[in-house]
Amino acid sequence: MKNLLYNRLCILQLLCMVVILTFITACKDDDADMEVPLITEVRNYAATPDDTLITSLHDGQWVVLQGKNMSAVTQVYFGSIPATFNRAFSTDESLVVQVPSIPFLSVPKDKLHIITAVGKGGTTSYEINITGSPIITHVRNYADSPNDTIVNSVAPGQLINFVGLNLNGATSINFQGVEADLTNVIYTDSSVIVKVPDDFSGGDASLANKITYTTGIGSTIYGIPIFDPAILEYYKDPLWTLLSGGIGNQKTWTIDFNAAGVSKKFAGPLFFSGDELRWNKECAKPGGNCWTWEPTWQGWMPEPKDYGTMTFDIKGVPVTPGLTVNQKGLADGKNGIFAGSYFLDTDAKTITFTDAVPLNMGWDNVDWSKAYLITLTEDGMQLGFKHKSKTEFELYNFIVK
């Protein structure tokens, strides 16, 4: 009986000890969970010897946060953006974390370069340079104030200042296919001073007005017109803008006539005049051959239909005038999309066409290679083409598409 009682007492004591030890262990675990994490350094996540100490990191990179009480961490932020971390490869002294994609322009500057580790017991911060792909917000002329203005175009040989983020350490600055010389590039905290290449003769037309900025982390494309000042001067006449929309742009015209036989701006699609009628409907000489006839559409004229469009532009590398004619409604072999060029003589008020016939309604009794500009406004245009056998013009009336 005594032995039985003794055995029961032993078992009871053992159970009490188990409960006490379990309680103590739980308290210790709770205490550990309540410890404040501490980051002492950041290392590259790689096998030795590549697990080096790092002072700068970028979005998408895997790193190891070294310190104390890392097992207590519940969340990590880079520049206030939550990160992904891997517990399977972490210890109480280290935590494997991937730097998140950071919206640099929207993160406050005072938080951008801060790693924050959050635990149940508190929060710790660690400052380190956090970078990403380059971001260009605007371009300034490089000059003393007040001439260091924001620019809307750049020119060959010009010193400019890119302003943005993550611009340090450019490996390439490419202006529409032409590499800039990086030898004398100057970096500041948030800008880069560089010279635009002097010669664009080897440029890529598909990259017109595009700057590609590349670092070891990534690249960005920034669009801005790139013009030679001489070209800007050449195309400054308002007629270029009225006709084509100006440098870097395009403008599409159609004959003022539709399939229902309706003309919106002019009395009809086709007028007639003497062959000495010129700009603004003035005569080339006093008493010259400048009669005009402006009829509405009549049955003997080309029939009502969609005849297509004609697009003038000033683009490319180098900048040149281009013409695209989408001809419709004619006989077989004359329809299609045709690419060519044009030249606007702003003094003589004429347009010459190369490699493409201007938009027409199918009559071939005029010289299509040269048009006389009779009127040109923001939304309307009249072009006179000389008749091959008569001393008269056929005046085609166009409106903006």
Side-chain angles (χ1 to χ4, degrees), residues 88-147:
F89 300 101
S90 302
T91 68
D92 197 49
E93 291 77 33
S94 63
L95 185 64
V96 179
V97 187
Q98 185 179 32
V99 184
S101 178
I102 298 174
F104 288 90
L105 294 177
S106 61
V107 175
K109 288 185 177 180
D110 61 341
K111 295 183 179 180
L112 183 57
H113 301 293
I114 301 297
I115 302 174
T116 304
V118 180
K120 292 181 180 179
T123 299
T124 189
S125 297
Y126 185 87
E127 188 169 352
I128 190 172
N129 182 48
I130 301 175
T131 186
S133 295
I135 298 172
I136 298 173
T137 57
H138 56 277
V139 179
R140 288 185 175 275
N141 182 46
Y142 181 66
D144 293 332
S145 181
N147 297 318

Side-chain angles (χ1 to χ4, degrees), residues 301-331:
M301 295 181 181
E303 63 181 299
K305 63 175 65 174
D306 176 12
Y307 286 98
T309 59
M310 177 168 58
T311 301
F312 295 88
D313 66 53
I314 310 175
K315 297 181 180 181
V317 180
V319 174
T320 54
L323 176 71
T324 303
V325 179
N326 184 4
Q327 184 70 62
K328 300 178 181 179
L330 305 185

Side-chain angles (χ1 to χ4, degrees), residues 350-364:
T350 60
I351 305 174
T352 53
F353 298 87
T354 303
D355 296 329
V357 174
L359 186 68
N360 64 89
M361 296 190 291
W363 284 2
D364 286 325

Side-chain angles (χ1 to χ4, degrees), residues 34-215:
M34 295 302 290
E35 292 286 351
V36 177
L38 175 65
I39 303 172
T40 57
E41 62 184 32
V42 181
R43 289 188 172 273
N44 187 39
Y45 180 55
T48 304
D50 296 325
D51 56 340
T52 53
L53 184 69
I54 56 178
T55 58
S56 179
L57 46 81
H58 59 82
D59 50 359
Q61 182 179 0
W62 282 93
V63 297
V64 180
L65 306 183
Q66 296 282 133
K68 296 179 181 180
N69 306 321
M70 304 308 290
S71 59
V73 173
T74 58
Q75 185 62 67
V76 178
Y77 296 89
F78 289 79
S80 75
I81 305 301
T84 299
F85 53 91
N86 192 332
R87 287 288 189 196
F89 300 101
S90 302
T91 68
D92 197 49
E93 291 77 33
S94 63
L95 185 64
V96 179
V97 187
Q98 185 179 32
V99 184
S101 178
I102 298 174
F104 288 90
L105 294 177
S106 61
V107 175
K109 288 185 177 180
D110 61 341
K111 295 183 179 180
L112 183 57
H113 301 293
I114 301 297
I115 302 174
T116 304
V118 180
K120 292 181 180 179
T123 299
T124 189
S125 297
Y126 185 87
E127 188 169 352
I128 190 172
N129 182 48
I130 301 175
T131 186
S133 295
I135 298 172
I136 298 173
T137 57
H138 56 277
V139 179
R140 288 185 175 275
N141 182 46
Y142 181 66
D144 293 332
S145 181
N147 297 318
D148 56 341
T149 54
I150 295 176
V151 295
N152 297 317
S153 65
V154 298
Q158 181 183 2
L159 271 177
I160 60 173
N161 193 357
F162 289 112
V163 181
L165 294 169
N166 308 326
L167 300 175
N168 197 29
T171 57
S172 170
I173 305 177
N174 184 297
F175 290 78
Q176 57 190 32
V178 179
E179 293 288 342
D181 182 3
L182 302 185
T183 305
N184 298 313
V185 168
I186 300 173
Y187 298 98
T188 68
D189 289 341
S190 59
S191 68
V192 177
I193 300 164
V194 65
K195 181 184 177 183
V196 181
D198 293 311
D199 184 9
F200 284 92
S201 58
D204 184 344
S206 66
L207 299 175
N209 302 320
K210 294 179 181 178
I211 301 172
T212 305
Y213 195 104
T214 305
T215 67

